[in-house]
Amino acid sequence: MVERQLLVLFGSQTGTAEDTAERIGREAKRRHFQCRVEALDSYDVANLINELLVVFVCATTGQGDPPDNMKMFWRFLFRKNLPPGSLCQLDYAVLGLGDSSYPKFNFVAKKLHKRVLQLGGNPLLPVALGDDQHDLGPDAVVDPWLLALWDKILSLYPLPPGLEIISRDVRLPPKYTLHYLPEDSPHPDGGLLQPTAPRAVPSELHPFAAHMVSNQRVTAESHFQDVRLIEFDITGSGITFSAGDVVMIQPQNCPEDVQQFCQLLRLDPDRRFVLKPTEPGTSLPALLPQPCTIQHLVTHYLDISCVPRRSFFELLSYFSTNELEREKLQEFSSAQGQEELYSYCNRPRRTTLEALWDFPHTTCAIPPEYLLDLIPRIRPRAFSIASSMLAHPDRIQILMAVVQYKTRLSKPRRGLCSTWLASLNPEQGNVRVPLWVKKGGMKFPADPDTPVIMIGPGTGVAPFRAAIQERVAQGRRGNCLFFGCRQNSKDFYCQAEWEELVRRGFLTLFTAFSRDQEEKVYVQHRIQENRRLVWELLSSGNARVYLAG
């Protein structure tokens, strides 16, 4: 009897590919496969030669780049010295998630499919190209492709005698079981985010608790947009960075939302628990302490403000004791109900917490151990670093617009991370924010004589502030900046700094204030007006052009 094992490997940036990989994992369990679901970079790629059956689920980011959690795997797979037949015993399928409005649509999935084929793998199906632009989203491609995949897999690995596919009416066990500790059990000492002596350079698994030094509004109070210049102290972190790099910040939910969530689900925020994996071999969530309080789980881990996905409604339907609510939840999780779900969730940007309010009978029946299957973890947010270590040693500054907008829902939508950061006041005590740094996509020229043309409207100017500070500290003069905003008096970020650099001869500055006159003026108009200078810099100066929005 062939061992029925399936490995699902995902590369995910925003969580969609991970969600799809988990869905395949659940469908595999219903077909009695032993199934592991792992991020590509968490998997020991040297074991791939021993695998018999693998499904890859991968997103494409940026200009055809692999997601962060598959970059090491990607480098290994494209090594020149891998023998051509090394994956000859592997049956595989690749499911891609992309966006056809980008030129390199699903580039990573196509390239992965081709490379595994080159190394001797046997494709079960042509590569699936899920498209965000489709009216029904990627599921329009994913649903029929998965039906075909299971047909193919079950023809190779039939169900064991006497077993049938577990019906969709049956709820699968949770990934983890949750064991409450007795209320009188001793508490470990210390807070959960202590600034520790760093073991290594800070990373997602070991962020640095940076002290917030200042949080200053840089737009006029009368301006509709609240933009902040925020400074963090990273002394002793071991963090280094250069212009163009990115700081990752791990946000948390606001206390009102946490309190509402606990009330809705009838959870005691102070109760402490430990998690145990339901199946051997499943690792525990890396970012949760053990033991943990409900308060910490909901504040720091569960993304209760994200727009819920189809899988959320599918799992929720199993807990429903109310027939009306259950029917609606089943409709939202069916292929036919996707347009309705889009109108309910995605278009108005309804949050998970708001969706739970709409299904009160179901919500109060959710068993706590299913929370980690139901709600994804809070993802870190990326910000361009807006300062240089040469100008501000041991500091990181960011220029951040506070996200707030209206949809048809009565309550304004708010960005989780920007709202949280804006609410922090370093003058009211020791405020710490978990962060780490990642290499950015922008590299500024090493040659000191190469001029740089930077086009940075709005907060897009952030990485150029870092570059200009760095270049000025190195004595480089060929800095040309096109900056655009609405009004000179309201959102001209870093105005005094730019004007001082112009005065000292380090910067050529062109500004476009779109609302300061009758006809709108944007950075492209200023580029056109100064085309002779721009062309001269490009043709005889060999200038580099950088654009950030």
Side-chain angles (χ1 to χ4, degrees), residues 16-146:
T16 311
E18 182 174 354
D19 185 67
T20 305
E22 293 288 358
R23 171 186 171 183
I24 296 170
R26 290 191 296 275
E27 293 187 7
K29 289 195 174 88
R30 292 193 183 278
R31 289 158 179 81
H32 304 279
F33 279 88
Q34 273 186 290
C35 182
R36 292 192 347 264
V37 179
E38 281 189 56
L40 278 152
D41 278 356
S42 310
Y43 173 73
D44 182 358
V45 65
N47 284 339
L48 203 58
I49 55 167
N50 305 315
E51 303 290 353
L52 300 177
L53 186 58
V54 177
V55 177
F56 297 95
V57 184
C58 48
T60 295
T61 67
Q63 302 301 315
D65 304 314
D68 291 335
N69 65 1
M70 69 177 279
K71 286 204 156 101
M72 294 185 313
F73 170 86
W74 197 245
R75 277 199 292 275
F76 180 88
L77 198 68
F78 285 92
R79 272 167 40 176
K80 297 273 190 288
N81 59 354
L82 298 182
S86 46
L87 299 180
C88 61
Q89 59 171 350
L90 174 68
D91 289 325
Y92 76 98
V94 177
L95 195 173
L97 296 169
D99 184 324
S100 59
S101 66
Y102 284 81
K104 293 202 169 178
F105 171 54
N106 263 316
F107 183 74
V108 171
K110 292 172 189 168
K111 202 167 169 186
L112 174 64
H113 184 81
K114 202 167 154 187
R115 180 60 174 155
V116 177
L117 189 61
Q118 271 179 355
L119 294 171
N122 315 300
L124 297 168
L125 287 178
V127 60
L129 306 176
D131 184 7
D132 245 357
Q133 290 297 316
H134 193 285
D135 289 347
L136 302 177
D139 286 346
V141 167
V142 173
D143 288 1
W145 186 84
L146 281 179

Side-chain angles (χ1 to χ4, degrees), residues 466-485:
I468 291 165
Q469 286 182 358
E470 194 166 282
R471 290 169 63 81
V472 168
Q474 294 162 337
R476 300 181 180 187
R477 286 184 182 267
N479 306 307
C480 176
L481 173 66
F482 287 88
F483 173 74
C485 64

Side-chain angles (χ1 to χ4, degrees), residues 179-197:
H179 302 269
Y180 281 121
L181 299 180
E183 306 217 3
D184 53 3
S185 64
H187 279 240
D189 291 335
L192 293 157
L193 225 187
Q194 292 293 354
T196 50

